[in-house]
Amino acid sequence: MAGTSLNSIVRSRAQGLILADTSQHQISRSVFATLALCETKRLARAHTAAIHSLSIDAVQHRYVLSTGTDTSIQLFDLESTGQINPTRCVLAGSGHTNTVTSVEWYSVDNGMFSTASLDHTVKIWDAHAMTEASQFDLECRVFSQKMSPTGAHALIAAGCESPYIRLCDLRSGAFAQSLLAHESASMSVDWSPVDAYMLASGGTDGRLQLWDIRQAGSHVCDFGNSESNTCAHDGSINGLLFTDDGQRLVSAGLDHCARVWNTASPQTPTVEIQTGAENDKPRTSTTLSTKTVEMALTTATDGTTSTKVLFIPSTSTCEVLVVDVCTGEVITRLDAHFASVTCAAWRPSFGELYTGGADSNVVAWSMREVLDSTQAALRTNAWSDSEPDDNV
């Protein structure tokens, strides 16, 4: 069992049988392997069609927003237990008029959030009244949108059915810039969490680029651009996610692969993960799919370990892959949805994961393994670098 394995790891470190870094990594894997359906809470089925996006507020980590094909936006209070019904919502048809592809809280204030839609708009919302505050019309379908997690500026980057990435300025209500990024559609975007002006973009052309928006004339680099290859993926890139230190970037593609890139050496990926079933046929770059995928990562605030754990929705197997970012090894697979999984959101400091899928469900997951006080003390000692290690 995972608990027995965890005890064994902690005590082996306490006895000096394994190195501190090794025990820390093994403990992390053991704990995350216990992820299972949450026994204390269940989110009510508030959507009538596929869910495409989830977002947990970055201020309190208390509220989650969900949205998707039915165009409604639901807000749940995660501090509740038992069956959790939405506390507030935007009714279907009262905001967007087509599938909502993305929802995201403003990083420094949970009184505001933004959404993107196939109805050609990005909308800004008052989270207290659940009313629209403003909107941007991009004149084409919008697949993704992101606000900088640093809060250093008020720009929303939008990936849409256009070669351009549009930067929407919340302060002026106008478009600040347009970055000519891809040969056709710009499917996915993500801001660096440490450099407010660094932006990554992925397109249907399979290219993955890094931008400094202060130098809009050209991008900083292409990922995967080596002598043998010019693209990061063989097909559309439909998901992007920086690690919280900004040193690595995870990309997901319709070629059923997720790749981890080092931003300092972007020529080849450091890790590659197969996200589809073995008999799945990759969709080529000529296929325009409006489906993006939202991955999630653990953060430094979790206090679990230094090991980064990545959650990848697998649209072909109805599973969520729990992956060690450093090695690409699959720690476990989460299987509870009845149709493809489209999005995942990690709740920092609480050890909880939330996933949404085409079955219109939001599923809550939690780690079953809880350290008692003795184990916690041993773990603290095991991770300490202040004591000499005889094995070094």
Side-chain angles (χ1 to χ4, degrees):
M1 293 188 299
T4 302
S5 175
L6 180 58
N7 286 333
S8 175
I9 295 166
V10 173
R11 296 191 184 281
S12 293
R13 171 54 191 158
Q15 295 166 13
L17 300 178
I18 55 176
L19 300 177
D21 288 345
T22 302
S23 64
Q24 188 174 359
H25 185 75
Q26 290 178 348
I27 289 171
S28 176
R29 291 176 61 89
S30 178
V31 170
F32 280 102
T34 68
L35 271 168
L37 288 173
C38 186
E39 296 180 342
T40 59
K41 64 182 70 174
R42 176 181 177 273
L43 275 65
R45 190 174 184 177
H47 291 276
T48 59
I51 295 169
H52 293 294
S53 184
L54 295 172
S55 181
I56 295 176
D57 81 278
V59 179
Q60 296 176 286
H61 307 141
R62 175 175 176 176
Y63 302 103
V64 64
L65 292 162
S66 63
T67 191
T69 301
D70 68 3
T71 74
S72 74
I73 306 168
Q74 308 290 337
L75 187 152
F76 298 88
D77 185 348
L78 299 180
E79 286 196 353
S80 304
T81 56
Q83 175 162 305
I84 305 176
N85 294 307
T87 58
R88 294 191 289 274
C89 75
V90 176
L91 296 174
S94 62
H96 287 288
T97 58
N98 203 338
T99 296
V100 185
T101 54
S102 173
V103 62
E104 187 176 37
W105 286 100
Y106 186 36
S107 62
V108 296
D109 181 1
N110 61 8
M112 182 177 77
F113 65 90
S114 57
T115 54
S117 171
L118 299 185
D119 67 6
H120 301 186
T121 66
V122 169
K123 293 181 184 288
I124 315 303
W125 301 84
D126 180 327
H128 301 294
M130 297 297 277
T131 55
E132 181 182 328
S134 62
Q135 80 166 33
F136 297 85
D137 187 355
L138 281 74
E139 300 180 344
C140 61
R141 295 188 294 179
V142 189
F143 303 132
S144 62
Q145 53 89 29
K146 284 292 182 71
M147 289 185 275
S148 173
T150 66
H153 55 69
L155 298 176
I156 298 176
C160 55
E161 197 174 19
S162 159
Y164 292 91
I165 299 167
R166 307 296 296 275
L167 299 184
C168 313
D169 191 338
L170 294 176
R171 293 195 177 99
S172 67
F175 294 106
Q177 287 176 265
S178 295
L179 307 176
L180 180 55
H182 299 281
E183 294 179 2
S184 49
S186 302
M187 284 288 293
S188 51
V189 292
D190 197 32
W191 292 97
S192 166
V194 295
D195 188 330
Y197 300 99
M198 298 301 289
L199 175 71
S201 70
T204 55
D205 54 7
R207 295 180 67 187
L208 174 57
Q209 300 177 333
L210 187 65
W211 296 82
D212 184 336
I213 63 169
R214 295 166 297 187
Q215 303 171 7
S218 63
H219 56 283
V220 175
C221 68
D222 279 285
F223 290 85
N225 189 3
S226 61
E227 293 182 0
S228 60
N229 196 14
T230 58
C231 294
H233 284 267
D234 182 19
S236 297
I237 297 174
N238 63 341
L240 290 177
L241 186 63
F242 275 100
T243 56
D244 60 355
D245 58 11
Q247 296 180 7
R248 284 171 287 189
L249 176 65
V250 184
S251 61
L254 294 183
D255 54 4
H256 303 302
C257 281
R259 296 185 170 99
V260 182
W261 307 85
N262 187 322
T263 55
S265 52
Q267 290 77 17
T268 57
T270 59
V271 168
E272 183 169 313
I273 305 127
Q274 184 72 28
T275 60
E278 291 183 3
N279 58 352
D280 282 342
K281 294 181 179 180
R283 283 178 267 182
T284 65
S285 57
T286 58
T287 303
L288 178 58
S289 170
T290 60
K291 296 179 180 179
T292 55
V293 63
E294 291 184 357
M295 299 172 285
L297 273 163
T298 56
T299 69
T301 61
D302 290 317
T304 47
T305 66
S306 61
T307 302
K308 302 285 185 188
V309 176
L310 173 67
F311 305 99
I312 310 175
S314 177
T315 57
S316 62
T317 63
C318 305
E319 295 177 323
V320 179
L321 306 184
V322 183
V323 179
D324 184 331
V325 171
C326 296
T327 66
E329 295 179 57
V330 177
I331 298 171
T332 189
R333 297 172 182 266
L334 307 178
D335 185 3
H337 287 276
F338 300 104
S340 61
V341 188
T342 56
C343 49
W346 177 252
R347 190 183 183 196
S349 304
F350 290 87
E352 294 175 356
L353 176 71
Y354 294 84
T355 57
D359 57 3
S360 72
N361 287 314
V362 178
V363 176
W365 309 83
S366 62
M367 292 185 288
R368 295 286 178 85
E369 183 62 59
V370 179
L371 298 179
D372 61 28
S373 57
T374 303
Q375 291 173 327
L378 285 170
R379 185 176 67 170
T380 301
N381 180 61
W383 293 354
S384 174
D385 292 325
S386 61
E387 298 179 5
D389 194 322
D390 295 334
N391 291 318
V392 176

